[in-house]
Amino acid sequence: MQDFGYKVVDAIVDHFETQDQKLPVATATRKEIDALFCEEAPENPMAADDVLKFVLENVMPNSNVITHPKAYAFVPGPSNYISVMSDTLATGFNIFAGGWVGSPAAAGVEINTLNWMLKLFNFQVKKGGGIFTSGGSMANLTALATARKVKCGDEFSKAIIYLSDQAHSSNIKAINILGFKKEQIRIIPTDMEFKFSINKLKNAIAKDKIEGLQPFCMIASAGTTNTGTIDPLEELARICKKENIWLHVDGAYGAAAMLSKNGKKLLKGIEKADSLTVDPHKWLFQPYEIGCLLVQNHKWLSRTFTEKPVYLRDIEGNQSEINFYDHGIELTRNFRALKFYMSIKTFGLQAFRKAIDYSIDLAEAVEAELRQSNKWEVISPATLAIINFRYNTVEEKLSEKKLDEMNQKISAKMMASGEALLVTTILQGQVVLRMCLINPRTTIEDVKNTLALCEKFALE
Ligand SMILES: *Cc1c(COP(=O)(O)O)cnc(C)c1O
């Protein structure tokens, strides 16, 4: 066991030491991957060392290095070694984090770590509650199920949900899973700055009320995934209060910025959310998987998710002994709070604040770099460490269609080269390159090198 374990640890440490020198992008076709892995389940054993060797040689190199300084696409996962080992501990002891009886300490650590989050977001620690989930998607689903139970009970045929066209797709997925019909969803257009258009939102709510429908839930984004834009939270909270609408803030991308001074200012109003999604496996540097849902009243969760089957009746415990299976969707859950807890204790919040400040500043430095070049056009300025731009040289006037093709080409060539994980998104009908710069190991030199490579690809 020790010999095998040391080999695994050595492989992980070696990866941590060499990851920045690897290429971030791995591409392989279905055919190539099948050729590696397609086989019958073996009846006979094989030496564990040989299986490990095969995995290290075939699985790991065929995966993107999402922790790489030049992994700019989607939302990178910079991770940290302390949490990796904490996850190993939680798995090694196979701690059941579903209920108090399974592990009073796991529940205690989860309660305490959630309290740190409640406090960070200025939710009431005493009354508030929450749960760690597999990720942001699951936190959003848990939030919307809770919102529906609290606002509508079991009758929701007239309930209407509002979200902007920049809201994350996991929200629509959750709405569909919960069985809402298409007619119950209002996708409100965003303004030129990608924020909820308040006027259009008010029109939609008023019209729905006249038609006898029940506006019940609003999903605001605190950092959209595309551009990092924060919806006008104070104003949305005011509307929700007046109209008796549940305010869910999807902060899976940007809520972590609460730890930085600037971010805290931008996120003003987040404390007025009824529910809030945070995603520690993004900008809080945790390895997959850990998402987090916070709510203003912990009873909302137990009211939504408590079921009392006979085989659980002996482990009820008292009121204050929280069974997290009563606060969310899963019964058996791994102990994901442990890594978050151990990494915050080890590094201190200061290190998190510093890393988040650094990313916000880096994106601003990249914006300045782009603006002083005659080859690049900034499409959406640096916002919570995300920037969108496109190749649009002043020397050559290209049509919109040609510009789209040009930027698509740059991304395709970059991905084929493996040098940087850089993909496009679409903003206001334009194909643009997007960088999400939350990795504290990314430097301005890394970005300058990538831009130079882009310029070379543009001319090919
Ligand atoms: C990433 C993201 C999600 C989904 O979170 P997962 O952890 O990927 O499930 C939801 N909302 C926003 C705004 C996100 O950026």
Side-chain angles (χ1 to χ4, degrees), residues 75 134-138 140 168 170-171 221 223-225 250-253 277 279 281-282:
V75 179
S134 54
S137 303
M138 195 59 136
N140 284 336
H168 191 268
S170 61
N171 292 296
S221 306
T224 63
T225 318
D250 180 0
Y253 174 65
T277 288
D279 217 2
H281 64 201
K282 287 181 174 168

PDB file of all heavy atoms in Angstrom, residues 75 134-138 140 168 170-171 221 223-225 250-253 277 279 281-282, ligand 1:
ATOM      1  N   VAL A  75     -13.567  28.286 -17.678  1.00  0.00           N
ATOM      2  CA  VAL A  75     -13.067  28.794 -16.406  1.00  0.00           C
ATOM      3  C   VAL A  75     -11.959  27.828 -15.976  1.00  0.00           C
ATOM      4  O   VAL A  75     -12.230  26.660 -15.715  1.00  0.00           O
ATOM      5  CB  VAL A  75     -14.169  28.868 -15.333  1.00  0.00           C
ATOM      6  CG1 VAL A  75     -13.589  29.389 -14.027  1.00  0.00           C
ATOM      7  CG2 VAL A  75     -15.307  29.759 -15.809  1.00  0.00           C
ATOM      8  N   SER A 134     -21.647  19.216  -5.771  1.00  0.00           N
ATOM      9  CA  SER A 134     -20.583  18.783  -6.683  1.00  0.00           C
ATOM     10  C   SER A 134     -20.036  19.956  -7.482  1.00  0.00           C
ATOM     11  O   SER A 134     -18.883  19.952  -7.897  1.00  0.00           O
ATOM     12  CB  SER A 134     -21.119  17.710  -7.625  1.00  0.00           C
ATOM     13  OG  SER A 134     -22.284  18.170  -8.275  1.00  0.00           O
ATOM     14  N   GLY A 135     -20.867  20.968  -7.730  1.00  0.00           N
ATOM     15  CA  GLY A 135     -20.426  22.119  -8.512  1.00  0.00           C
ATOM     16  C   GLY A 135     -21.525  23.167  -8.597  1.00  0.00           C
ATOM     17  O   GLY A 135     -22.536  23.081  -7.885  1.00  0.00           O
ATOM     18  N   GLY A 136     -21.303  24.150  -9.453  1.00  0.00           N
ATOM     19  CA  GLY A 136     -22.256  25.246  -9.600  1.00  0.00           C
ATOM     20  C   GLY A 136     -23.591  24.799 -10.181  1.00  0.00           C
ATOM     21  O   GLY A 136     -24.647  25.293  -9.787  1.00  0.00           O
ATOM     22  N   SER A 137     -23.555  23.861 -11.110  1.00  0.00           N
ATOM     23  CA  SER A 137     -24.804  23.395 -11.734  1.00  0.00           C
ATOM     24  C   SER A 137     -25.722  22.795 -10.675  1.00  0.00           C
ATOM     25  O   SER A 137     -26.922  23.072 -10.633  1.00  0.00           O
ATOM     26  CB  SER A 137     -24.520  22.338 -12.792  1.00  0.00           C
ATOM     27  OG  SER A 137     -23.639  22.820 -13.760  1.00  0.00           O
ATOM     28  N   MET A 138     -25.133  21.956  -9.824  1.00  0.00           N
ATOM     29  CA  MET A 138     -25.918  21.302  -8.783  1.00  0.00           C
ATOM     30  C   MET A 138     -26.387  22.323  -7.743  1.00  0.00           C
ATOM     31  O   MET A 138     -27.496  22.200  -7.210  1.00  0.00           O
ATOM     32  CB  MET A 138     -25.069  20.207  -8.136  1.00  0.00           C
ATOM     33  CG  MET A 138     -25.854  19.244  -7.321  1.00  0.00           C
ATOM     34  SD  MET A 138     -27.103  18.419  -8.322  1.00  0.00           S
ATOM     35  CE  MET A 138     -26.897  16.759  -7.756  1.00  0.00           C
ATOM     36  N   ASN A 140     -27.105  25.479  -8.394  1.00  0.00           N
ATOM     37  CA  ASN A 140     -28.219  26.201  -9.015  1.00  0.00           C
ATOM     38  C   ASN A 140     -29.503  25.362  -8.997  1.00  0.00           C
ATOM     39  O   ASN A 140     -30.586  25.877  -8.714  1.00  0.00           O
ATOM     40  CB  ASN A 140     -27.869  26.587 -10.462  1.00  0.00           C
ATOM     41  CG  ASN A 140     -26.899  27.766 -10.525  1.00  0.00           C
ATOM     42  OD1 ASN A 140     -26.830  28.565  -9.587  1.00  0.00           O
ATOM     43  ND2 ASN A 140     -26.153  27.881 -11.608  1.00  0.00           N
ATOM     44  N   HIS A 168     -25.956  31.643 -17.074  1.00  0.00           N
ATOM     45  CA  HIS A 168     -25.286  30.388 -17.410  1.00  0.00           C
ATOM     46  C   HIS A 168     -26.301  29.303 -17.801  1.00  0.00           C
ATOM     47  O   HIS A 168     -27.386  29.220 -17.219  1.00  0.00           O
ATOM     48  CB  HIS A 168     -24.471  29.911 -16.204  1.00  0.00           C
ATOM     49  CG  HIS A 168     -23.547  28.783 -16.520  1.00  0.00           C
ATOM     50  ND1 HIS A 168     -23.904  27.471 -16.369  1.00  0.00           N
ATOM     51  CD2 HIS A 168     -22.279  28.789 -16.995  1.00  0.00           C
ATOM     52  CE1 HIS A 168     -22.887  26.703 -16.735  1.00  0.00           C
ATOM     53  NE2 HIS A 168     -21.891  27.482 -17.112  1.00  0.00           N
ATOM     54  N   SER A 170     -26.517  26.300 -17.132  1.00  0.00           N
ATOM     55  CA  SER A 170     -26.925  25.350 -16.092  1.00  0.00           C
ATOM     56  C   SER A 170     -28.256  25.762 -15.453  1.00  0.00           C
ATOM     57  O   SER A 170     -28.971  24.917 -14.912  1.00  0.00           O
ATOM     58  CB  SER A 170     -25.848  25.250 -15.014  1.00  0.00           C
ATOM     59  OG  SER A 170     -25.650  26.497 -14.390  1.00  0.00           O
ATOM     60  N   ASN A 171     -28.573  27.054 -15.510  1.00  0.00           N
ATOM     61  CA  ASN A 171     -29.852  27.510 -14.943  1.00  0.00           C
ATOM     62  C   ASN A 171     -31.034  27.014 -15.770  1.00  0.00           C
ATOM     63  O   ASN A 171     -32.026  26.536 -15.217  1.00  0.00           O
ATOM     64  CB  ASN A 171     -29.862  29.029 -14.832  1.00  0.00           C
ATOM     65  CG  ASN A 171     -28.873  29.530 -13.792  1.00  0.00           C
ATOM     66  OD1 ASN A 171     -29.021  29.247 -12.609  1.00  0.00           O
ATOM     67  ND2 ASN A 171     -27.836  30.230 -14.234  1.00  0.00           N
ATOM     68  N   SER A 221     -26.830  37.197 -12.370  1.00  0.00           N
ATOM     69  CA  SER A 221     -25.467  36.670 -12.470  1.00  0.00           C
ATOM     70  C   SER A 221     -24.504  37.602 -11.747  1.00  0.00           C
ATOM     71  O   SER A 221     -24.522  38.804 -11.979  1.00  0.00           O
ATOM     72  CB  SER A 221     -25.042  36.545 -13.935  1.00  0.00           C
ATOM     73  OG  SER A 221     -25.989  35.783 -14.658  1.00  0.00           O
ATOM     74  N   GLY A 223     -21.083  37.931 -12.028  1.00  0.00           N
ATOM     75  CA  GLY A 223     -20.014  37.487 -12.884  1.00  0.00           C
ATOM     76  C   GLY A 223     -20.563  36.514 -13.901  1.00  0.00           C
ATOM     77  O   GLY A 223     -20.693  35.326 -13.609  1.00  0.00           O
ATOM     78  N   THR A 224     -20.938  37.025 -15.095  1.00  0.00           N
ATOM     79  CA  THR A 224     -21.346  36.090 -16.147  1.00  0.00           C
ATOM     80  C   THR A 224     -20.091  35.368 -16.641  1.00  0.00           C
ATOM     81  O   THR A 224     -18.985  35.899 -16.567  1.00  0.00           O
ATOM     82  CB  THR A 224     -21.998  36.811 -17.339  1.00  0.00           C
ATOM     83  OG1 THR A 224     -21.037  37.681 -17.931  1.00  0.00           O
ATOM     84  CG2 THR A 224     -23.216  37.599 -16.913  1.00  0.00           C
ATOM     85  N   THR A 225     -20.302  34.158 -17.137  1.00  0.00           N
ATOM     86  CA  THR A 225     -19.169  33.349 -17.571  1.00  0.00           C
ATOM     87  C   THR A 225     -18.521  33.955 -18.819  1.00  0.00           C
ATOM     88  O   THR A 225     -17.308  33.915 -18.982  1.00  0.00           O
ATOM     89  CB  THR A 225     -19.641  31.911 -17.850  1.00  0.00           C
ATOM     90  OG1 THR A 225     -20.546  31.548 -16.808  1.00  0.00           O
ATOM     91  CG2 THR A 225     -18.496  30.946 -17.867  1.00  0.00           C
ATOM     92  N   ASP A 250     -26.476  33.753  -9.159  1.00  0.00           N
ATOM     93  CA  ASP A 250     -25.531  32.745  -9.616  1.00  0.00           C
ATOM     94  C   ASP A 250     -24.141  33.384  -9.621  1.00  0.00           C
ATOM     95  O   ASP A 250     -23.778  34.085 -10.563  1.00  0.00           O
ATOM     96  CB  ASP A 250     -25.924  32.246 -11.013  1.00  0.00           C
ATOM     97  CG  ASP A 250     -24.952  31.191 -11.534  1.00  0.00           C
ATOM     98  OD1 ASP A 250     -23.987  30.870 -10.814  1.00  0.00           O
ATOM     99  OD2 ASP A 250     -25.167  30.693 -12.658  1.00  0.00           O
ATOM    100  N   GLY A 251     -23.417  33.139  -8.546  1.00  0.00           N
ATOM    101  CA  GLY A 251     -22.064  33.681  -8.408  1.00  0.00           C
ATOM    102  C   GLY A 251     -21.011  32.616  -8.661  1.00  0.00           C
ATOM    103  O   GLY A 251     -19.889  32.732  -8.163  1.00  0.00           O
ATOM    104  N   ALA A 252     -21.384  31.575  -9.421  1.00  0.00           N
ATOM    105  CA  ALA A 252     -20.441  30.462  -9.633  1.00  0.00           C
ATOM    106  C   ALA A 252     -19.138  30.970 -10.202  1.00  0.00           C
ATOM    107  O   ALA A 252     -18.066  30.541  -9.789  1.00  0.00           O
ATOM    108  CB  ALA A 252     -21.046  29.408 -10.552  1.00  0.00           C
ATOM    109  N   TYR A 253     -19.219  31.909 -11.121  1.00  0.00           N
ATOM    110  CA  TYR A 253     -17.952  32.435 -11.620  1.00  0.00           C
ATOM    111  C   TYR A 253     -17.368  33.508 -10.682  1.00  0.00           C
ATOM    112  O   TYR A 253     -16.253  33.375 -10.193  1.00  0.00           O
ATOM    113  CB  TYR A 253     -18.063  32.985 -13.066  1.00  0.00           C
ATOM    114  CG  TYR A 253     -16.734  33.615 -13.394  1.00  0.00           C
ATOM    115  CD1 TYR A 253     -15.595  32.817 -13.483  1.00  0.00           C
ATOM    116  CD2 TYR A 253     -16.567  35.002 -13.446  1.00  0.00           C
ATOM    117  CE1 TYR A 253     -14.332  33.369 -13.649  1.00  0.00           C
ATOM    118  CE2 TYR A 253     -15.304  35.558 -13.601  1.00  0.00           C
ATOM    119  CZ  TYR A 253     -14.186  34.738 -13.702  1.00  0.00           C
ATOM    120  OH  TYR A 253     -12.950  35.280 -13.833  1.00  0.00           O
ATOM    121  N   THR A 277     -25.179  30.993  -5.337  1.00  0.00           N
ATOM    122  CA  THR A 277     -24.270  29.915  -5.742  1.00  0.00           C
ATOM    123  C   THR A 277     -22.840  30.438  -5.783  1.00  0.00           C
ATOM    124  O   THR A 277     -22.578  31.484  -6.362  1.00  0.00           O
ATOM    125  CB  THR A 277     -24.656  29.373  -7.136  1.00  0.00           C
ATOM    126  OG1 THR A 277     -25.866  28.628  -7.014  1.00  0.00           O
ATOM    127  CG2 THR A 277     -23.577  28.475  -7.711  1.00  0.00           C
ATOM    128  N   ASP A 279     -18.761  28.799  -6.365  1.00  0.00           N
ATOM    129  CA  ASP A 279     -18.171  27.575  -6.936  1.00  0.00           C
ATOM    130  C   ASP A 279     -16.687  27.488  -6.564  1.00  0.00           C
ATOM    131  O   ASP A 279     -15.828  27.890  -7.337  1.00  0.00           O
ATOM    132  CB  ASP A 279     -18.350  27.606  -8.465  1.00  0.00           C
ATOM    133  CG  ASP A 279     -18.651  26.237  -9.038  1.00  0.00           C
ATOM    134  OD1 ASP A 279     -18.751  25.274  -8.255  1.00  0.00           O
ATOM    135  OD2 ASP A 279     -18.792  26.130 -10.263  1.00  0.00           O
ATOM    136  N   HIS A 281     -14.508  25.347  -6.784  1.00  0.00           N
ATOM    137  CA  HIS A 281     -13.551  24.720  -7.704  1.00  0.00           C
ATOM    138  C   HIS A 281     -13.226  25.617  -8.911  1.00  0.00           C
ATOM    139  O   HIS A 281     -12.565  25.192  -9.844  1.00  0.00           O
ATOM    140  CB  HIS A 281     -13.952  23.295  -8.120  1.00  0.00           C
ATOM    141  CG  HIS A 281     -15.219  23.148  -8.906  1.00  0.00           C
ATOM    142  ND1 HIS A 281     -15.914  21.957  -8.974  1.00  0.00           N
ATOM    143  CD2 HIS A 281     -15.915  24.004  -9.681  1.00  0.00           C
ATOM    144  CE1 HIS A 281     -16.964  22.086  -9.761  1.00  0.00           C
ATOM    145  NE2 HIS A 281     -16.988  23.320 -10.203  1.00  0.00           N
ATOM    146  N   LYS A 282     -13.684  26.858  -8.848  1.00  0.00           N
ATOM    147  CA  LYS A 282     -13.236  27.828  -9.844  1.00  0.00           C
ATOM    148  C   LYS A 282     -12.228  28.794  -9.199  1.00  0.00           C
ATOM    149  O   LYS A 282     -11.095  28.446  -8.996  1.00  0.00           O
ATOM    150  CB  LYS A 282     -14.447  28.551 -10.428  1.00  0.00           C
ATOM    151  CG  LYS A 282     -15.240  27.642 -11.369  1.00  0.00           C
ATOM    152  CD  LYS A 282     -16.426  28.331 -11.976  1.00  0.00           C
ATOM    153  CE  LYS A 282     -17.082  27.437 -13.009  1.00  0.00           C
ATOM    154  NZ  LYS A 282     -18.407  27.961 -13.401  1.00  0.00           N
TER     155      LYS A 282
HETATM  156  C1  LIG B   1     -19.356  27.422 -14.193  1.00  0.00           C
HETATM  157  C2  LIG B   1     -20.636  28.069 -13.968  1.00  0.00           C
HETATM  158  C3  LIG B   1     -21.771  27.319 -13.594  1.00  0.00           C
HETATM  159  C4  LIG B   1     -21.742  25.822 -13.529  1.00  0.00           C
HETATM  160  O1  LIG B   1     -20.908  25.358 -12.530  1.00  0.00           O
HETATM  161  P1  LIG B   1     -20.255  23.885 -12.611  1.00  0.00           P
HETATM  162  O2  LIG B   1     -19.380  23.868 -11.424  1.00  0.00           O
HETATM  163  O3  LIG B   1     -19.507  23.848 -13.915  1.00  0.00           O
HETATM  164  O4  LIG B   1     -21.353  22.908 -12.569  1.00  0.00           O
HETATM  165  C5  LIG B   1     -22.933  28.002 -13.317  1.00  0.00           C
HETATM  166  N1  LIG B   1     -23.001  29.341 -13.415  1.00  0.00           N
HETATM  167  C6  LIG B   1     -21.926  30.096 -13.776  1.00  0.00           C
HETATM  168  C7  LIG B   1     -22.075  31.585 -13.854  1.00  0.00           C
HETATM  169  C8  LIG B   1     -20.722  29.485 -14.073  1.00  0.00           C
HETATM  170  O5  LIG B   1     -19.661  30.233 -14.449  1.00  0.00           O
END
